Amino acid sequence: MKKLVVGILAHVDAGKTTLTEGLLYAGGALRRLGRVDHGDAFLDTFALERERGVTIFSKQAVLNRGERELTLLDTPGHADFSAETERTLQVMDCAVLVISGADGVQGHTLTLWRLLRRYGVPTFLFVNKMDQPGTDRAALLAELKGRLDGCCVDFSRPSSEREEETALCGEAAMEEYLASGTLRDETVAELVGEEKLFPCLFGAALRLDGVEELLDCMTRFAPVPVYGEEFGAKVYKISRDAQGARLTHLKVTGGTLRVKDLLSGSRDGEDWQEKADQLRIYSGAKFRPADAAEAGTVCAVAGLSHTFSGQGLGVESASAPPLLEPALTCQVLLPDDCDVHTALGQLRRLEDEDPQLRVVWQERTGRINVQLMGLFQQEILQRLLKDRFDLDVTFGPGAIVYRETIAAPVVGIGHFEPLRHYAEVHLLLEPLERGAGLRFATVCPEDMLAFPWQRLALSQLAWKKHPGVLIGAPVTDMKITLLAGRAHEKHTEGGDFRQAAWRAVRQGLMGAKSVLLEPWYEFSLSVPQAQTGRAMADLQRMGGELVPPETQGEHALFTGAAPVSALRDYGAEVAAYTKGQGRLSCAPGGYRPCPKQEQIVEETGYDPERDLDNPADSIFCEGGAGHVVKWRNVPARAHVDSGFSPDGTPVKKSDSGPSSARSAAYAGTMEQDKELRAIFERTYGPVKRRTFQKPLPAADAAPAYRASPPPAGPEYLLVDGYNVIFAWDELKVAAGQNLDAARRMLCDLMSDYQGFRKCRVIVVFDAYKVKGGLETVEKYHNIHLVYTKEAETADAYIERTTYQLGREHRVRVVSSDAAEQIIILGHGALRVSAAAFREEMVQTRGEINAVLQKNNLAGKVRPMREALTKALERREQAGEESGDNFPGGR
């Protein structure tokens, strides 16, 4: 049976859910019709949706039609939930765009149309509510052709009457029509699939008028997708069932997904691997379990905890950043007796499920802010927190979510070199077109910086939301290219490139011409003719873009675009001065330069140089200690020549100045570099203390930061054993077969690491669930293994140990537990994620192998050299000429 995923989209109140109900009834999937206004619609499965009569969450239903299995996806119609609709678009094979016959093409209708064209979704149009007085089919069809596409063809007419107009939509179709006088269904389906034809049908879903015709039209003319043999899937939604189990809703785009299949992916820079514990095929609120899901199937997977909307699994790539983003932000005001961290966790769960909700935690102030699409979403969020977590919240005054970008290219340089760390990164920042988001690339030669380090730097750049330097708003519409970089053979760690790359972005922004961007709405405003003058004056005062108004009976229709800051409260004002007869409809319209940039910057009072979480300065090593160099002085101190000037233009090598000389000097050995040799001797040699501190240069006489002297004792490395085992693919696979074997593999690796890096390794394993268990410490080769006592986790042991050791020793901790990392940092230890430490381990193994190969070669050459020397000595004593009768001659 051929599978087809059909999305149902519409402006709010166009009758989308009613049409979906009618399609299910006409297709035999429902025995009786429900109604939205009666609160018993099949796909309005949440109590809040039944109360409000609007769709808030996308749902699916399945029906069979001949040889086709149709999966209908009912999407939210309100503009505040359009981000969820956008995510759902990416798994649709085709879509039905529902338009109200009484209202025609509205503001959000145009937004949905642009989204459908952006994602290349073949589209059918259904004009609903044609039973209402005053609807005019000819006028509505003309509006569809004028405002959407000229290839909107009325398929409510008989085939013989529409085929000539259909043939005009493609050259091949025209040739076929001229040759035979008719068009095959395959030809029409090809036109629909290429988005050259948009079939339109008219009807009234509540009365089932035109519903059967729409179902037949989709069955005959919807293009059939072709899938590959290799597994792939696209995640479009995260939800939880009534028992709280996390569900990942996805469409299988290739191969077959089976129960207990192992799925893998990456999130926030961390790789994960989990099993698909259960497959569910939903239809409304009910589901049936499945053993396997073939390509084209939309299903929910239980057992996955790291997935997110837009993620690609298998061979499927991740989705591009969404076009629609929140435009408003406000503070969440919690009850006095509510723990802020508990509330933050509850909001994070909702954020995981809702792609248009952004939760922002301000650690310094202890505030929680949320970014929303609009006030209706705010109201729904308030209700969800009450219903699911019994949490009563209110919201502070709303503000605008701004963005920042740059006006011209600029080069940013980041250097991170505290004691025994090293990384330098040069980036080219270039402006992009509006709505492009952030893009990343590299042109750095691999002989300058190895590809694993380049990949690490770029992944860290992509993971972070970089704040701008005007008001601290996120940076967008910019391309970041890695130009050059440098790592140290021994002292570079994964976190060093994270610091250097982030500082490089910030240093470039400090020297760039930044532009403040504000969000705009695209609006549709309908007012009585008597209020036309008032409406036009208001819209002109807002500084928006306005097209000449259209007359619709006794009303005037204004369409255009204006800043969100001007339109966000205008709906209530329209209702007031039109006495409820006017209506304002808004949809996200992207970001544009803010004309009040200087005023907004001054009112915000943001000082980029005081933002300690996002430093623009770099850290250089001077006299055995790290000290801060101000961002404006970093280019003169850089160790690498990127070949670009600060304004982003290439320069000749002869004009590169002192940076080339410094780069060449640093390329030597450690013995040739006096500064690094001094560090080495103080760290490992007989010099026990430093008696002289070189004064800082005059330009850096008052640094904002100075690294404290390093502890004199040996370095300790604490490893959360099970955390690493289940974060590294090879160890996780071994653990699935034999956990003891996985532990031995990890311990063998750590033994080699300690022997080569000359540190002290402690591997900690959880034993807190072992009843009556005591803390045990074992020696494994050259490292120590710790099994925690009953009721003590590895996290607790590591926290306690870092606090004790950190006073006199340099301590690093390998763990990917976010809460544990924060506590470790507070104890003065350095924390390394499991993924970053894996990169370090790979590099260490490579260095160990190189040493072994070198020693093996020396072991073979030395005996040969000794034998040759003895042979020559014997021949000289016998008076023979050297080389005579010796194999190989002289």
Side-chain angles (χ1 to χ4, degrees), residues 31 73 133 139 180 247 251 278 284 357 364 388 396 429 527 548 633 652 692 694 761 782 795 808 810 827 877 886:
R31 295 183 178 180
L73 297 179
S180 62
L247 300 176
K251 177 189 175 184
Q278 186 184 38
L357 174 64
R364 293 185 180 276
R388 292 182 56 174
L429 313 181
V527 297
N633 300 325
K652 297 180 180 178
F692 172 74
K694 183 176 180 180
V761 175
N782 57 336
D795 299 352
E808 299 180 358
R810 183 175 183 265
H827 290 172
Q877 292 174 0
F886 191 83

Side-chain angles (χ1 to χ4, degrees), residues 634-777:
V634 170
R637 302 285 299 274
H639 291 179
V640 178
D641 177 20
S642 67
F644 281 74
S645 63
D647 63 357
T649 57
V651 296
K652 297 180 180 178
K653 290 295 182 181
S654 59
D655 300 332
S656 56
S659 294
S660 295
R662 178 174 289 274
S663 176
Y666 193 78
T669 64
M670 185 172 291
E671 288 74 19
Q672 294 170 332
D673 193 317
K674 295 181 179 180
E675 184 177 328
L676 285 179
R677 185 174 59 197
I679 299 172
F680 180 82
E681 291 176 353
R682 274 190 294 273
T683 306
Y684 300 105
V687 179
K688 298 300 182 183
R689 62 186 180 88
R690 187 170 66 251
T691 59
F692 172 74
Q693 174 66 54
K694 183 176 180 180
L696 297 177
D700 304 312
Y705 163 81
R706 186 174 186 81
S708 58
E715 174 186 321
Y716 281 83
L717 179 70
L718 275 72
V719 180
D720 189 333
Y722 290 131
N723 187 292
V724 173
I725 286 175
F726 291 101
W728 293 6
D729 293 342
E730 57 272 27
L731 296 180
K732 187 173 182 179
V733 172
Q737 301 173 355
N738 189 315
L739 188 58
D740 289 335
R743 280 197 295 259
R744 286 195 299 272
M745 290 173 62
L746 174 62
C747 293
D748 289 339
L749 290 171
M750 298 312 306
S751 297
D752 294 344
Y753 183 89
Q754 173 170 313
F756 189 76
R757 295 296 186 190
K758 307 300 182 185
C759 59
R760 296 183 181 179
V761 175
I762 302 174
V763 182
V764 185
F765 291 107
D766 275 320
Y768 72 98
K769 292 184 179 180
V770 178
K771 189 171 182 60
L774 301 176
E775 180 180 305
T776 59
V777 180

